[in-house]
Amino acid sequence: MEEYCVTGGTGFIAAYLVKTLLDKGHIVRTTVRDPEDLGKVGFLWELNGAKERLKIMKADLLVEGSFDDAIQGVHGVFHTASPVLVPYENNIQATLIDPCIKGTLNVMSSCKKASSVKRVVLTSSCSSIRYRHDVQQVSSLNESHWSDPEYCKLHNLWYAYAKTTAEKEAWQIAKDCGIDMVVVNPSFVVGPLLSPQPTSSMYLILAIIKGLHGEYPNTTVGFVHIDDVVAAHILAMEERKASGRLICSSSVVHWSQIIEMLRAKYPSYPYENKCSNQEGDNNPHSMDTSKIQQLGCPPFKTIPQMFDDCIKSFQDKGFL
């Protein structure tokens, strides 16, 4: 039995990580901004083993030192906390870029102070790999590729800009401080909901199915099942041979193909039928996942499997 810290426990990936670690018999600390807000954290207390082995602790990505208590004394840290999608008319710097970059620096700095920490697993994203002018020439993309921050700025791809910058800075700190870090780079994560309300990426899927915004993203992206993402994080923590970055992605398709597939299977929903004219995010490409598979990660679930699981959970929870 080990003790682990998972940052941002109410997030989609983090909540499933907390659940899986508890199921494996570990002691888990997870951080949230307000541990007293049962509307947000209540579902974590209902997980098997939570009453005995879960601690929910207060920490804020923007407050220096606020992760010290949660990380002091643990064996490993999963840093997954990061804003995903925010309304872009708001202050992007404050709501997306700062929490992503400064939060990563704060967590890494707490890891540096804690001599107990044997390994840090950082959740990055394929967004820190696939945004570049030459993407079609260099595809398939592997762990050696990086998104170009200037390309991200040019096309207002601020999430990708933040994730790329945060990951690069984390690697620099890990190198300077001798921290053993492995990075998981998932693509767009899909699957059943664990939390009572859709997290931001799941809300995007729900909005597309219900036709809430008038258009769907002009995006060609890899998709991956939440089960595969969690398995990749556990492998990254437990497998001694794991190192560097690990791409975690199933098939790459355009959102229009997803809608077409869902419309054929679930015809009663009023899907978005107009594509956004946003440029820069629709480059065809493919992802090379041979590195993580050589470590022993099983084959990734298919797109129909992940969306079936997702829609069934939306139906079960009354969102569809």
Side-chain angles (χ1 to χ4, degrees):
M1 185 198 292
E2 302 286 0
E3 187 157 4
Y4 291 107
C5 175
V6 179
T7 66
T10 54
F12 190 31
I13 297 173
Y16 269 102
L17 263 176
V18 170
K19 177 184 187 301
T20 305
L21 291 165
L22 288 171
D23 285 345
K24 287 167 78 78
H26 297 302
I27 299 167
V28 183
R29 301 179 193 176
T30 192
T31 63
V32 295
R33 272 180 301 211
D34 181 4
E36 304 301 313
D37 182 352
L38 289 180
K40 288 240 174 81
V41 305
F43 76 102
L44 294 172
W45 285 122
E46 289 164 24
L47 297 173
N48 284 338
K51 302 276 188 295
E52 300 76 31
R53 289 178 280 106
L54 177 64
K55 289 181 196 155
I56 301 181
M57 303 174 75
K58 184 181 175 63
D60 186 318
L61 289 169
L62 294 176
V63 178
E64 214 169 308
S66 73
F67 289 88
D68 287 2
D69 287 351
I71 287 173
Q72 195 63 46
V74 301
H75 174 85
V77 175
F78 295 91
H79 177 40
T80 66
S82 185
V84 180
L85 304 161
V86 289
Y88 282 160
E89 57 276 18
N90 291 350
N91 180 345
I92 295 163
Q93 190 71 38
T95 53
L96 177 70
I97 297 174
D98 287 350
C100 183
I101 297 170
K102 287 184 181 165
T104 300
L105 298 180
N106 281 338
V107 170
M108 292 299 283
S109 133
S110 296
C111 292
K112 186 171 78 179
K113 294 176 204 164
S115 57
S116 60
V117 174
K118 299 289 177 276
R119 178 170 281 181
V120 176
V121 172
L122 173 74
T123 310
S124 185
S125 167
C126 285
S127 297
S128 63
I129 291 173
R130 66 189 182 86
Y131 290 109
R132 30 194 300 156
H133 293 285
D134 62 353
V135 65
Q136 290 175 63
Q137 288 75 53
V138 299
S139 183
S140 57
L141 298 167
N142 62 36
E143 285 82 1
S144 71
H145 294 112
W146 283 89
S147 291
D148 172 3
E150 296 309 315
Y151 181 94
C152 297
K153 284 184 195 167
L154 178 67
H155 296 290
N156 292 324
L157 298 162
W158 296 111
Y159 174 71
Y161 172 80
K163 290 302 267 189
T164 305
T165 310
E167 191 193 332
K168 283 199 158 159
E169 295 201 8
W171 278 119
Q172 193 56 54
I173 295 171
K175 192 173 143 212
D176 293 348
C177 305
I179 294 172
D180 177 11
M181 182 172 83
V182 181
V183 171
V184 180
N185 299 81
S187 51
F188 194 107
V189 187
V190 184
L193 267 179
L194 197 56
S195 58
Q197 290 298 321
T199 49
S200 41
S201 50
M202 295 294 276
Y203 175 74
L204 174 64
I205 299 172
L206 189 60
I208 288 171
I209 295 170
K210 293 175 84 165
L212 298 180
H213 293 161
E215 59 182 28
Y216 59 85
N218 183 21
T219 301
T220 300
V221 65
F223 291 89
V224 64
H225 196 292
I226 182 65
D227 292 353
D228 294 327
V229 177
V230 171
H233 279 75
I234 301 288
L235 184 74
M237 181 63 79
E238 292 179 348
E239 173 54 68
R240 299 243 314 266
K241 294 198 295 281
S243 66
R245 310 167 91 196
L246 298 170
I247 290 175
C248 184
S249 178
S250 185
S251 312
V252 175
V253 295
H254 192 272
W255 268 111
S256 57
Q257 294 162 273
I258 296 289
I259 293 169
E260 204 177 310
M261 172 191 81
L262 294 179
R263 197 179 265 134
K265 217 169 196 178
Y266 306 95
S268 61
Y269 300 123
Y271 300 89
E272 302 288 14
N273 53 20
K274 177 173 171 282
C275 184
S276 155
N277 57 11
Q278 160 90 33
E279 289 296 317
D281 199 1
N282 57 342
N283 297 319
H285 62 281
S286 64
M287 287 286 177
D288 176 359
T289 57
S290 55
K291 184 178 175 189
I292 196 166
Q293 280 164 345
Q294 280 158 11
L295 277 176
C297 203
F300 293 114
K301 292 184 179 177
T302 64
I303 285 182
Q305 280 174 302
M306 60 184 93
F307 276 92
D308 283 346
D309 286 354
C310 172
I311 285 180
K312 184 178 183 313
S313 95
F314 283 159
Q315 291 167 336
D316 291 347
K317 286 180 186 273
F319 296 121
L320 282 177

